[in-house]
Amino acid sequence: MNDPTRTRNLRIRAALAVAAVTGLGATALTALPAAAAGEALTVQYRQSSTGGDQVEPWLKVVNTGASSVPLSQVKVRYYFKADAGASYTYACSWAVNGCANLTGTFGTLAHPTATADRYLEVGFTAGAGSLAPGADTGDMQLRFHRSNWQSLNQSDDYSFGPAQTTYANWSKVTATVGGVQVWGTAPVGNEPTPTPTDPTTPPTTPPPTGAALFDDFDYTGHTDPALVAHGWSVRSNSGGPGVPGATWAPENVTFAKDGTNSIMNLRTSTAGTGESTRHTEILTRASKFKNGTYAARVRFSDAPLSGPDGDHLVQTFFTINDLKAPMADDYAEYDFEYLPNGGWGEPANILYTTSWETYRPDPWEAVNQHSESRTSHDGWHDLVLTIDDSAIVYYVDGREFGRHDARYLPERPMSINFNQWLIDLAGQTSTAPRAYDQKVDYVLYVKDQVLTPAQVAAKVGAYRSAGTTFEDGVPAAQ
């Protein structure tokens, strides 16, 4: 990874501003699927602004059923037509339950229509509690805008109701409970199946077989000859991304047993200066990975191992190739990036998934699509990325996190990478030493096959049951 490749991250998020907002609102009515007959919710909506700089949907979720509903199981979708090439940023201006208890992610519809090809999905953390019968969430004053703050057009958005200036039921916003739709009407062609598949349920058929890379990271250290023999490179060269003058420290990539399992640890440390900053990265030397399924179990950390907290840290799992020229159309990159303390204009923790078509470093110009969730992801998470000839899909802990367009599909093979680094030293200005850990349990790639998260878990389980700690049957790129 070179500096231009990753410094592009300072772009689309850096302009985010915190502003007061006015809202939107709406409501909806639909027949309940049989599987969800016990749950009854409505969504109310009002619009706060018809302006062209940001969309402002104000929402309320109302429990019209006879039993309490855990809000952590509820998802609400607002559908819109994206502007060409645009990426979007979500924000919560105010909420009765607290903005910290709301999440917002963007997704892409499997079957785009004239008025909808994207959606904002709003979810709730466990801290939001439950919704009692007859109760509502109160105001959720939400907004989103183009990440570069260019003007946008709401008039062709499926869920937009310009006449909705007071709260009322709005059928063009949908709600699900535990993945089952209980309210609203999705854009034509995007209706849920009568019996949704739970991605955490084991598959009824064995996971597909085929050329695969699997590594359980069972090594003694960064100098273990097997690490090189298995195709890994631990970065030691200088350069970006991140804090100028920082060192990429191979000795900070370590391995240890957790019971019978081996865990890789990436440690990043600093004492508040570039010279004292140590970043970490490990990547495959070969760029031979393209379509198929990528998966890893990663432990993100919100707090440092020791010392003061607050650094603008990036913890990642991604796949990438090189940019041969500014705006070259055969560049590709697909990221999971967690910022435990914010950065790039974000004030707090946020998880991004980003699919890259290309970029130009100077002057900055980017073509990408991203999804995001503004909530803590501290702890272990199962990350899955699938790429086929029609879409790029990201999963976190068995649930779809983002679905990105076919225009961002890769033209050339890529490498597989993990790294942890500091964007800058502005988040924590202390000169006291501190260190952060990112752990990785395993990595899996299956060539040219799309696996469900459950099939990924089954395949990893099969490797471990057989005592296989490493396999690489992926042929070199042609």
Side-chain angles (χ1 to χ4, degrees):
M1 271 182 5
N2 53 31
D3 192 13
T5 299
R6 305 300 293 166
T7 53
R8 88 285 190 276
N9 288 294
L10 297 172
R11 67 309 170 200
I12 48 176
R13 285 90 119 170
L16 185 72
V18 177
V21 74
T22 49
L24 321 107
T27 56
L29 188 59
T30 189
L32 300 183
E39 312 286 2
L41 300 178
T42 62
V43 181
Q44 297 185 350
Y45 157 88
R46 62 161 292 210
Q47 63 86 1
S48 169
S49 173
T50 59
D53 60 347
Q54 57 185 341
V55 180
E56 299 178 6
W58 288 12
L59 303 173
K60 289 183 182 180
V61 178
V62 183
N63 185 353
T64 57
S67 59
S68 292
V69 177
L71 282 170
S72 61
Q73 296 183 12
V74 176
K75 301 286 188 183
V76 177
R77 286 187 178 182
Y78 179 96
Y79 302 90
F80 64 98
K81 182 74 171 179
D83 298 293
S87 62
Y88 293 86
T89 296
Y90 155 86
C92 171
S93 296
W94 186 79
V96 171
N97 275 334
C99 286
N101 289 319
L102 300 181
T103 63
T105 60
F106 293 98
T108 301
L109 289 178
H111 303 287
T113 71
T115 59
D117 56 9
R118 301 288 304 281
Y119 57 82
L120 169 66
E121 183 173 86
V122 180
F124 301 83
T125 69
S130 296
L131 199 59
D136 65 64
T137 59
D139 282 341
M140 297 185 290
Q141 299 179 7
L142 312 177
R143 58 190 170 95
F144 63 92
H145 57 82
R146 294 186 61 166
S147 298
N148 57 11
W149 283 101
Q150 290 185 10
S151 61
L152 50 76
N153 176 28
Q154 294 191 67
S155 64
D156 60 353
D157 290 351
Y158 176 85
S159 294
F160 178 53
Q164 292 294 126
T165 56
T166 59
Y167 278 115
N169 288 348
W170 192 244
S171 63
K172 292 187 175 182
V173 175
T174 60
T176 60
V177 178
V180 178
Q181 186 172 321
V182 298
W183 173 259
T185 303
V188 174
N190 296 277
E191 300 85 356
T193 56
T195 307
T197 299
D198 181 352
T200 64
T201 301
T204 55
T205 57
T209 58
L213 166 71
F214 172 73
D215 202 327
D216 218 6
F217 294 116
D218 190 8
Y219 302 104
T220 59
H222 75 282
T223 59
D224 189 333
L227 196 64
V228 174
H230 291 169
W232 294 102
S233 175
V234 182
R235 183 174 175 179
S236 60
N237 59 298
S238 61
V243 174
T247 300
W248 293 83
E251 65 275 12
N252 283 2
V253 177
T254 59
F255 303 86
K257 289 291 186 180
D258 181 4
T260 59
N261 194 32
S262 181
I263 302 294
M264 177 171 67
N265 190 73
L266 280 66
R267 178 162 297 173
T268 292
S269 60
T270 188
T273 66
E275 292 73 19
S276 67
T277 301
R278 301 289 184 267
H279 294 156
T280 46
E281 180 172 14
I282 184 169
L283 65 155
T284 61
R285 296 196 311 277
S287 293
K288 61 179 182 177
F289 310 98
K290 194 180 174 190
N291 286 15
T293 300
Y294 301 78
R297 183 164 172 79
V298 177
R299 191 188 191 288
F300 298 130
S301 299
D302 278 355
L305 214 60
S306 60
D309 196 2
D311 287 293
H312 291 159
L313 185 72
V314 186
Q315 300 176 327
T316 75
F317 166 45
F318 63 101
T319 181
I320 190 173
N321 61 30
D322 58 321
L323 182 73
K324 293 186 176 297
M327 301 303 287
D329 61 6
D330 62 349
Y331 175 74
E333 179 177 355
Y334 307 95
D335 303 330
F336 289 91
E337 294 174 311
Y338 181 55
L339 282 60
N341 295 311
W344 295 324
E346 291 288 339
N349 40 32
I350 186 168
L351 176 64
Y352 289 106
T353 60
T354 309
S355 300
W356 286 85
E357 171 62 19
T358 190
Y359 71 97
R360 177 173 56 209
D362 189 21
W364 179 256
E365 182 178 359
V367 182
N368 62 33
Q369 184 176 353
H370 78 276
S371 304
E372 61 201 33
S373 175
R374 287 175 173 82
T375 189
S376 172
H377 281 77
D378 184 71
W380 284 103
H381 296 283
D382 295 303
L383 309 179
V384 176
L385 161 68
T386 65
I387 303 174
D388 60 16
D389 290 332
S390 61
I392 304 109
V393 185
Y394 298 86
Y395 298 88
V396 177
D397 297 330
R399 300 289 179 181
E400 185 175 316
F401 185 92
R403 181 179 293 267
H404 297 170
D405 301 347
R407 57 185 156 173
Y408 302 101
L409 292 172
E411 288 86 8
R412 289 190 291 121
M414 301 165 288
S415 63
I416 294 174
N417 304 244
F418 299 90
N419 67 15
Q420 183 181 220
W421 49 281
L422 297 178
I423 298 170
D424 53 43
L425 297 172
Q428 172 55 259
T429 57
S430 170
T431 57
R434 59 265 191 192
Y436 299 83
D437 283 355
Q438 173 187 339
K439 299 181 186 297
V440 183
D441 184 8
Y442 70 83
V443 67
L444 171 70
Y445 168 77
V446 181
K447 178 178 170 60
D448 295 332
Q449 295 180 353
V450 171
L451 275 63
T452 66
Q455 287 176 319
V456 167
K459 194 167 184 70
V460 172
Y463 279 121
R464 288 177 166 171
S465 295
T468 302
T469 60
F470 177 80
E471 175 185 281
D472 186 4
V474 181
Q478 301 299 312

